[in-house]
Amino acid sequence: VVYYDARDVLIVYKPTPATDAVYHLQCLDPEDGSVRWTLPADGIPGRWLNLGDMAVRCGDSFLVKVDLYQFARVSTSGELLGTFKL
């Protein structure tokens, strides 16, 4: 779990145990656990490798830590809005 509040729960997982499996960011409904959306890390620098540290809500999107200096901005509907470095 990288983020949760009364509206959303964000988790990161690998769908298979394969060493080359891509991590996925997934949003769950906190009431019933249903999946709202899933975003695979394909093409995202850092590929969610160091996730687990943090994600924060910023209005209608989330800022998700991807690696030491890289963040991704993801909409609350699961669209990748961009990446940036600090």
Side-chain angles (χ1 to χ4, degrees):
V1 175
V2 295
Y3 176 83
Y4 68 92
D5 64 14
R7 296 180 286 182
D8 299 290
V9 176
L10 295 182
I11 64 170
V12 174
Y13 71 97
K14 287 173 91 173
T16 71
T19 57
D20 61 347
V22 174
Y23 282 88
H24 288 64
L25 178 67
Q26 189 170 78
C27 183
L28 307 173
D29 183 304
E31 294 292 321
D32 62 14
S34 62
V35 175
R36 291 191 177 146
W37 51 262
T38 302
L39 181 64
D42 289 359
I44 299 172
R47 301 171 56 117
W48 315 127
L49 291 180
N50 291 331
L51 244 93
D53 303 82
M54 74 180 269
V56 295
R57 181 185 293 276
C58 293
D60 62 348
S61 63
F62 299 100
L63 291 180
V64 183
K65 186 174 183 182
V66 177
D67 64 24
L68 188 58
Y69 302 108
Q70 185 89 15
F71 287 78
R73 185 170 168 232
V74 179
S75 74
T76 54
S77 61
E79 178 186 357
L80 178 64
L81 301 173
T83 61
F84 63 93
K85 288 186 178 183
L86 290 180

